[in-house]
Amino acid sequence: MIAKRIIPCLDIRDGRVVKGRNFEGVRDVDSPVALAEFYNREGADELVFYDITASFEGRKLFTDVLKEVAGKIFIPLTVGGGINGVEDFERVLNSGADKVSVNSGAIKNPDLIGAAAKKYGNQCVVLSMDVKRVNGSYIIFARGGRDNTGIEATEWARRGQEEGAGELVVNSIDTDGVKDGFDLEMLDAICKKVSIPVIASGGAGSIDHFINLFKTVPGVDAGLAASVFHYKTVSIGKLKHNLDASGICVRI
């Protein structure tokens, strides 16, 4: 049985970790280096690092902060933000990332997924999806949740897999930072469309939310969260022991 992964997410703005609710009301949390080291010690399976305003501001990702974070941890690191070409993949991988997450750049140019997968391997390419319900449909949003693309999310997930993505991060804008649980219905719909690993993001507020996620949507491979870990509401060690006690396979 493949172990489920627990992944903290560092949203970076101006070199600091920040967190909001429904992609709004963003506030300062901590230094990315300090938090990365903490999660490395806590037993996180991986770490995700997003430069959340790079695409919106039309600039490249902060590689100086990335290099410092990568030099302090010994777990896989996925990095995203302002990834618009194969050269951005190269720059980020050379700065210490193990995988590169592309979102708005792939929406603008879906061929980017395949080009990056061909050069660096599918395992390095993560398609990140920001999804919101619009008139009863799951719709992809771009540029940090600012732009409604009109693209239906389950079809975009399927296409991402076909283009060469090795993994999906599926983030619910509706549940982001709300702490009432993951969007299980949306995640189930996407898992049914793909066979590559799916990382669930948005809505974690308790240990029970993770247990419910993995039991209700067994197709989900990992649970990603930010504030519930940043503010020590849930410790990764305790979470993993509770998952294990609930019959969910995790690395302890």
Side-chain angles (χ1 to χ4, degrees), residues 122-172:
N122 303 67
Q123 77 284 349
C124 285
V125 182
V126 179
L127 177 61
S128 179
M129 304 165 49
D130 293 327
V131 185
K132 185 179 178 67
R133 281 179 172 79
V134 179
N135 298 322
S137 297
Y138 303 122
I139 302 297
I140 296 291
F141 278 64
R143 296 203 314 150
R146 295 170 178 84
D147 296 346
N148 181 340
T149 68
I151 300 169
E152 201 278 325
T154 64
E155 283 303 308
W156 181 237
R158 181 191 59 77
R159 182 173 180 186
Q161 175 176 278
E162 289 180 351
E163 292 285 346
E167 192 167 68
L168 302 176
V169 173
V170 182
N171 188 48
S172 169

Side-chain angles (χ1 to χ4, degrees), residues 65-84:
V65 177
L66 167 57
K67 287 178 180 177
E68 192 173 0
V69 168
K72 298 286 187 179
I73 65 174
F74 303 96
I75 53 178
L77 177 62
T78 298
V79 178
I83 306 298
N84 293 297

Side-chain angles (χ1 to χ4, degrees), residues 29-235:
V29 177
D30 204 341
S31 151
V33 177
L35 269 183
E37 289 184 293
F38 170 72
Y39 291 132
N40 188 72
R41 294 192 304 269
E42 277 283 286
D45 294 299
E46 298 184 18
L47 192 65
V48 168
F49 174 114
Y50 286 135
D51 187 343
I52 62 171
T53 58
S55 291
F56 175 67
E57 294 171 0
R59 60 168 171 78
K60 296 187 181 298
L61 180 145
F62 290 125
T63 52
D64 53 346
V65 177
L66 167 57
K67 287 178 180 177
E68 192 173 0
V69 168
K72 298 286 187 179
I73 65 174
F74 303 96
I75 53 178
L77 177 62
T78 298
V79 178
I83 306 298
N84 293 297
V86 173
E87 66 279 4
D88 293 318
F89 274 79
E90 183 166 359
R91 181 170 49 85
V92 171
L93 290 169
N94 286 342
S95 296
D98 298 282
K99 295 183 276 189
V100 181
S101 176
V102 61
N103 188 329
S104 298
I107 293 168
K108 289 183 288 187
N109 176 22
D111 291 340
L112 173 59
I113 300 170
K118 184 176 181 179
K119 185 167 185 179
Y120 300 109
N122 303 67
Q123 77 284 349
C124 285
V125 182
V126 179
L127 177 61
S128 179
M129 304 165 49
D130 293 327
V131 185
K132 185 179 178 67
R133 281 179 172 79
V134 179
N135 298 322
S137 297
Y138 303 122
I139 302 297
I140 296 291
F141 278 64
R143 296 203 314 150
R146 295 170 178 84
D147 296 346
N148 181 340
T149 68
I151 300 169
E152 201 278 325
T154 64
E155 283 303 308
W156 181 237
R158 181 191 59 77
R159 182 173 180 186
Q161 175 176 278
E162 289 180 351
E163 292 285 346
E167 192 167 68
L168 302 176
V169 173
V170 182
N171 188 48
S172 169
I173 295 174
D174 297 308
T175 63
D176 178 75
V178 177
K179 300 182 185 179
D180 283 339
F182 293 92
D183 191 331
L184 303 177
E185 183 181 28
M186 182 264 288
L187 290 163
D188 185 56
I190 288 175
C191 284
K192 287 176 177 174
K193 283 280 188 175
V194 298
S195 57
I196 57 176
V198 172
I199 298 172
S201 172
S206 70
I207 288 173
D208 285 343
H209 290 155
F210 285 91
I211 294 172
N212 197 26
L213 168 68
F214 294 129
K215 284 189 174 291
T216 306
V217 192
V220 164
D221 293 82
L224 181 150
S227 55
V228 70
F229 296 141
H230 296 344
Y231 298 121
K232 313 296 192 294
T233 306
V234 171
S235 80

